[in-house]
Amino acid sequence: MLEKPKGKRISRYKKSSEESISKLVPLNALNKNQELYLKALGNSRQVIVLGPSGTGKTYMAASYAANQYLMKSINKIIITRPAVSVGKSLGALPGTLEEKFGPWLSPVLSVLEEQLGKGVVETGIKNGNIVMAPLEYMRGSSFKDAFILADEAQNLDIAQFKMLVTRIGENCQLVLNGDIRQSDIKEQSGLSKAIHLAKKYNIEASVVEFQVEDIVRSDICRQWVEAFYEENL
């Protein structure tokens, strides 16, 4: 009777881990500041990233979060932003909280769906592992084992900023992302206050600032942003 050859048994966990790693999104820097941003994401628990539209601030943070989620380095991705309209509001939206707030976070959700697949994102939202929440609903919450992305953070007021950073628990990474020049609130931006306090009190946070020349979205985007900056708009 022939003896079956003995081979290494691959556990389901190992196989699952290998499959997850094979799906990781390659993140390649397109310029020096993107390189600094990637290093900050890899090394810092808190990252403050500034600069104009089209520089990859949101895309790189959401893609990095997707990889951490695939590798099970975190259990949750929490996406938030201040509920501040650019210009006139469209009024109250129907549906659940996720349905109401979804349009505000569509840029981040689009990246997550691109990197993880729509089915994984929908399942994550359903089981509470991918959370979309306006800052106004976060008081009393506590985050653990999570990647928190605060998009459009220039529209945080100081009270919202204080509330957000005091929600952070163990094994969390926070990214505050925004363009201070495009703040839509009248009071002082919580994002600018974050930079001031981090520098003054040596808080462990990496600050990365993109410039107009770092815009990678398109030449059209870069040309208009250059014009806006020159006109102080």
Side-chain angles (χ1 to χ4, degrees):
M1 184 173 180
L2 294 174
E3 190 174 316
K4 291 183 179 180
K6 294 180 180 179
K8 292 182 179 179
R9 293 186 62 187
I10 301 176
S11 69
R12 289 182 182 178
Y13 177 79
K14 184 176 181 182
K15 188 175 181 182
S16 175
S17 297
E18 289 174 348
E19 287 174 352
S20 294
I21 291 171
S22 69
K23 295 176 182 177
L24 294 183
V25 181
L27 282 173
N28 300 311
L30 299 178
N31 52 52
K32 184 67 175 178
N33 279 328
Q34 282 197 357
E35 186 178 334
L36 291 174
Y37 188 20
L38 283 177
K39 286 182 180 177
L41 288 169
N43 297 326
S44 300
R45 290 182 300 166
Q46 298 181 95
V47 180
I48 302 171
V49 55
L50 314 169
S53 301
T55 50
K57 303 186 305 294
T58 299
Y59 182 87
M60 294 178 75
S63 296
Y64 184 84
N67 282 346
Q68 296 299 300
Y69 189 71
L70 283 171
M71 292 190 297
K72 303 187 186 302
S73 298
I74 53 170
N75 291 328
K76 287 188 176 183
I77 298 174
I78 297 168
I79 317 159
T80 188
R81 61 170 282 179
V84 177
S85 297
V86 179
K88 294 182 179 179
S89 171
L90 295 176
L93 296 171
T96 63
L97 178 60
E98 287 81 9
E99 291 169 339
K100 291 174 186 287
F101 201 52
W104 294 81
L105 295 172
S106 58
V108 183
L109 282 177
S110 295
V111 178
L112 291 179
E113 288 178 358
E114 177 185 339
Q115 314 299 26
L116 296 173
K118 191 170 183 178
V120 173
V121 172
E122 288 177 348
T123 301
I125 292 171
K126 187 176 180 180
N127 62 25
N129 287 339
I130 297 176
V131 180
M132 298 181 294
L135 282 160
E136 289 78 1
Y137 287 82
M138 283 190 173
R139 188 171 296 280
S141 300
S142 180
F143 307 139
K144 183 180 178 182
D145 298 322
F147 185 101
I148 304 104
L149 173 57
D151 205 29
E152 301 292 338
Q154 75 274 4
N155 289 329
L156 288 169
D157 61 32
I158 293 177
Q160 289 173 328
F161 163 67
K162 288 171 60 180
M163 186 268 295
L164 173 63
V165 295
T166 54
R167 303 303 95 208
I168 309 301
E170 293 298 321
N171 192 35
C172 285
Q173 184 172 20
L174 170 66
V175 174
L176 292 170
N177 161 19
D179 181 2
I180 291 173
R181 297 181 62 135
Q182 297 299 314
S183 178
D184 298 303
I185 60 175
K186 294 179 180 179
E187 57 264 50
Q188 182 183 7
S189 169
L191 183 59
S192 61
K193 194 67 173 179
I195 297 166
H196 167 73
L197 292 175
K199 291 180 178 178
K200 183 176 181 179
Y201 294 100
N202 294 318
I203 292 171
E204 295 179 7
S206 293
V207 179
V208 180
E209 186 166 4
F210 287 100
Q211 307 299 330
V212 175
E213 56 267 26
D214 296 316
I215 293 174
V216 295
R217 179 170 293 155
S218 68
D219 288 340
I220 291 175
C221 178
R222 179 180 52 76
Q223 289 168 11
W224 280 111
V225 171
E226 284 177 345
F228 297 151
Y229 274 28
E230 287 295 326
E231 294 291 321
N232 199 28
L233 295 175

